[in-house]
Amino acid sequence: MGQSGRSRHQKRARAQAHLRNLEAYAAQPHSFVFARGRVGRSVQQLSMDLRRVMEPLTATRLQIRKKNSLKDCVAVAGPLGVTHFLIVSKTETNVYFKLMRLPGGPTLTFRINKYTLVRDVVSSLRRHRMHEQQFAHPPLLVLNSFGPHGMHVKLMATMFQNLFPSINVHKVNLNTIKRCLLINYNPDTQELDFRHYSIKVVPVGASCGMKKLLQEKFPNMSRLQDISELLATGAGLSESEAEPDGEHNITELPQAVAGRGNMRAQQSAVRLTEIGPRMTLELIKIQEGVGEGNVLFHRLVHKTEEELQAILAAKEEKLRLKAQRQDQQAQNVRRKREQREAHKKKSLAGMKRVQAEANGDSDAEDPGAPPEAEGTSQQEEEEDEAEYFRQAVGEEPDEGVWQTGLRAPGYHAPVCPCALVALTPFFPADMFPKAAKRRRPTGPPGKKQQLKERKPDRGSERRPQKAKGRGPGAQAKMGHRGAARNHGQGRPRPPKKAA
């Protein structure tokens, strides 16, 4: 049985082609289309139609919640490779459309004077042509009348061009061009016409009946006697289908296009069918950043050169103060970091020193006091004892006994008991330890105390009454104590056994 599947070279070639496709897709511009604020159903549907226009290089299932801010969208757009924002918003008086370039701007704000949704455009056509295969590739952008009318017009044209991937006319595949986006600029009214079309290519030079035969749906020829009637006269066809194409849409195809009869170097007609949406836009202002920054152009507000200079100076002062605060914060952070490092080093050094001292004390023995200090302390102690003897007895001590040089080692002078009594106030209290006193219990009186209270005369032989209401354990315990007490009074206790 032979080995199935592709060879190693085929797998490698496919992997390299897939990698090139991914790199090319990442290099193309991508967009987010969404609505901001409370816009209503119509404006929300308009944003969905704009998202349909921008397919497939847009987030089709993008959902923006109310709590999400523009900064959140910008933060998400960076890792995803999004380059443009198309935002639709609504106020009490107008509907606005914002086109933003990420990450540094600029931002173009348009006012939507008129708009028509896709469903309204399709419902007005007799035969609309729109299917899912048309949205597999981005549309072809066509700009009209964007001439030398000012820098703002040139900036608009550049923004719309960067919104879609560039096309190489020498290498483009005509089968990937299924839609067309037309943006027309009217210099008199300074308005933009936004139109979206579907492209269809049909052969030219054949009769209407022949074109009908070339289509996928075969015509109804039940009323015809011969097929020549269909090819010669075009019987059974509507006026719109039989209408000839003019020179404005007939061209020679540089390559074969999908469709019956569209051959290379043959004449074919390019037909456009509007699929919506429609918009009439008016440029209001251009900002430098993403939704903020200096106003580069404003249609309604005009400022003098002095006002612009004042605004620029205020902006520069604000930036200078911001930079100063950032420098101060950086210095504070650096100073605190150095303080923490110094404190950490100092703490580690102290811990090491304490550990070293502890290890040295545990291993070495205490050498004790030097001999000179020991002799001095012994002489002072003898002088104190002699002084105590004079105060207590009233006589001078014997020089032979109290003299340091004549005292033998381990010799203690005899002391009279009366001297001890007299010397008691001069000795510390802890020199003669006493027996620890037995503390009395602080709780309720026990059974033995109760029996003593009931029996004041210790010599009488009257036995104490038994406590009522006690358990057998308590009676047995008290009986055992009573027996021991009576045993000690009646007869002598037997001698203890020697251990």
Side-chain angles (χ1 to χ4, degrees), residues 213-433:
L213 289 175
L214 293 176
Q215 294 179 359
E216 297 179 358
K217 186 178 180 181
F218 202 76
N220 186 8
M221 296 186 299
S222 60
R223 297 181 181 182
L224 303 179
Q225 298 296 331
D226 191 1
I227 193 174
S228 60
E229 298 181 7
L230 177 64
L231 298 178
T233 62
L237 301 179
S238 62
E239 296 180 357
S240 61
E241 291 174 341
E243 183 180 358
D245 296 311
E247 296 181 357
H248 60 280
N249 63 338
I250 296 177
T251 183
E252 182 179 347
L253 296 178
Q255 56 182 268
V257 181
R260 298 182 180 181
N262 297 321
M263 305 301 293
R264 182 179 179 182
Q266 298 294 329
Q267 296 289 329
S268 297
V270 180
R271 296 178 180 177
L272 301 179
T273 304
E274 189 175 3
I275 57 179
R278 300 177 186 173
M279 287 192 301
T280 302
L281 307 175
E282 182 181 2
L283 181 64
I284 298 299
K285 67 177 179 178
I286 301 175
Q287 290 178 286
E288 186 177 3
V290 180
E292 59 183 5
N294 298 333
V295 178
L296 305 179
F297 169 81
H298 204 290
R299 178 180 173 82
L300 305 177
V301 179
H302 302 279
K303 294 184 179 296
T304 61
E305 188 66 24
E306 291 78 8
E307 294 176 347
L308 294 177
Q309 292 296 333
I311 294 174
L312 183 60
K315 183 70 174 180
E316 291 178 354
E317 181 66 18
K318 185 177 180 180
L319 294 176
R320 189 186 63 80
L321 293 177
K322 182 178 180 181
Q324 183 179 358
R325 289 194 301 269
Q326 290 179 353
D327 295 341
Q328 184 66 26
Q329 291 176 358
Q331 293 178 4
N332 293 339
V333 170
R334 184 165 55 254
R335 177 175 53 80
K336 291 179 180 179
R337 186 185 298 111
E338 293 175 356
Q339 290 179 358
R340 285 196 299 268
E341 292 295 335
H343 181 69
K344 182 178 179 180
K345 292 180 180 179
K346 186 176 180 181
S347 301
L348 292 175
M351 293 170 61
K352 291 180 180 179
R353 184 174 62 255
V354 171
Q355 187 176 3
E357 292 178 358
N359 295 336
D361 293 344
S362 60
D363 297 338
E365 296 181 357
D366 189 7
E372 296 82 0
E374 184 176 358
T376 306
S377 60
Q378 185 176 2
Q379 184 178 0
E380 293 178 355
E381 183 179 357
E382 292 177 356
E383 293 178 356
D384 295 341
E385 291 179 357
E387 183 65 25
Y388 292 153
F389 186 82
R390 293 189 191 95
Q391 294 179 3
V393 182
E395 298 178 359
E396 291 292 332
D398 189 2
E399 296 182 359
V401 177
W402 290 96
Q403 192 173 2
T404 304
L406 299 179
R407 179 183 295 181
Y411 173 78
H412 298 278
V415 180
C416 181
C418 61
L420 291 177
V421 175
L423 290 174
T424 299
F426 300 95
F427 290 99
D430 54 352
M431 183 173 293
F432 304 99

Side-chain angles (χ1 to χ4, degrees), residues 70-120:
L70 185 60
K71 292 184 179 180
D72 299 337
C73 300
V74 173
V76 173
L80 297 180
V82 177
T83 58
H84 292 82
F85 279 175
L86 285 78
I87 305 175
V88 182
S89 60
K90 182 181 179 181
T91 61
E92 297 179 357
T93 56
N94 296 304
V95 180
Y96 292 95
F97 169 67
K98 290 185 178 182
L99 178 59
M100 298 182 181
R101 170 69 178 180
L102 299 180
T107 301
L108 276 66
T109 303
F110 299 92
R111 181 170 59 193
I112 303 178
N113 296 331
K114 300 176 184 178
Y115 69 92
T116 305
L117 303 178
V118 171
R119 61 169 180 259
D120 299 329

